[in-house]
Amino acid sequence: ILAQEGWDGNCNAGGESLGYSLPLEFDRLFSLRLFPDRPIVSQPARRPLALDTASASSDPMDAEILASITKLGNTVLMNKAVAELNALKHKKKAPGFSSPVLFRRALAVLAGHRFGVQQWRFVIDLFEKGVLRKIVLEEEGEGSEGSGGGQGDEEGSSGSGE
């Protein structure tokens, strides 16, 4: 059957196939169209890498925080990164640890790499407790603005400084 269709197959002395067959004319094989031509659907744009988030920061202190968070994924640099982050929070009192924008960027860095639960918990605990509350209330405020609630307008104006 293979020979009739222009294919060459190897067989042993007993007539059993050795498992592979090749076409006699390779040009015909590579010119086959298996599927009708369809317009190619463009892939959605990939999200930017988490490393780009660290370099996009305008404040050098925020960039240093994000770089140290990135180092948490490296087992060799993890202890140094923990010490740097603790020093930034306690000794230098970096204002970024109270910023919802930096918190979101830190979460983007964490999501862009494979961090363990301990690293996630450590980074979240570095930020002030009110930061997460601000983020949650702003999201609720955006949802209530569309429904015409007066309370959303007050919270919406507090988040306009970002």
Side-chain angles (χ1 to χ4, degrees):
I1 296 175
L2 288 174
Q4 291 174 354
E5 295 298 321
W7 288 71
D8 183 25
N10 242 351
C11 298
N12 63 10
E16 296 173 347
S17 174
L18 293 178
Y20 69 91
S21 57
L22 298 172
L24 296 174
E25 297 176 29
F26 281 109
D27 295 339
R28 283 183 47 206
L29 174 68
F30 294 122
S31 66
L32 289 177
R33 293 215 177 252
L34 299 178
F35 302 102
D37 290 334
R38 294 183 196 161
I40 297 173
V41 178
S42 64
Q43 296 291 331
R46 293 179 66 191
R47 68 175 192 208
L49 293 175
L51 293 175
D52 295 342
T53 307
S55 63
S57 179
S58 60
D59 184 21
M61 189 74 75
D62 289 352
E64 188 176 347
I65 290 170
L66 293 171
S68 295
I69 290 172
T70 304
K71 289 179 194 174
L72 287 174
N74 186 337
T75 55
V76 175
L77 300 175
M78 186 177 358
N79 289 337
K80 182 179 178 185
V82 167
E84 288 174 359
L85 288 168
N86 280 327
L88 286 168
K89 178 172 182 162
H90 298 295
K91 291 180 184 172
K92 295 183 181 179
K93 305 220 185 288
F97 288 116
S98 61
S99 166
V101 174
L102 183 63
F103 184 76
R104 286 190 181 111
R105 286 184 183 161
L107 291 183
V109 169
L110 290 170
H113 299 283
R114 292 192 173 196
F115 286 100
V117 175
Q118 294 87 2
Q119 286 93 353
W120 277 84
R121 184 68 188 183
F122 175 72
V123 170
I124 290 171
D125 287 342
L126 282 173
F127 287 87
E128 293 178 10
K129 303 304 176 213
V131 173
L132 188 57
R133 183 170 182 237
K134 287 179 189 176
I135 290 173
V136 170
L137 291 177
E138 284 177 7
E139 290 176 0
E140 285 180 4
E142 292 171 2
S144 64
E145 281 180 8
S147 63
Q151 186 178 8
D153 294 338
E154 292 173 358
E155 290 174 13
S157 63
S158 67
S160 62
E162 292 180 19

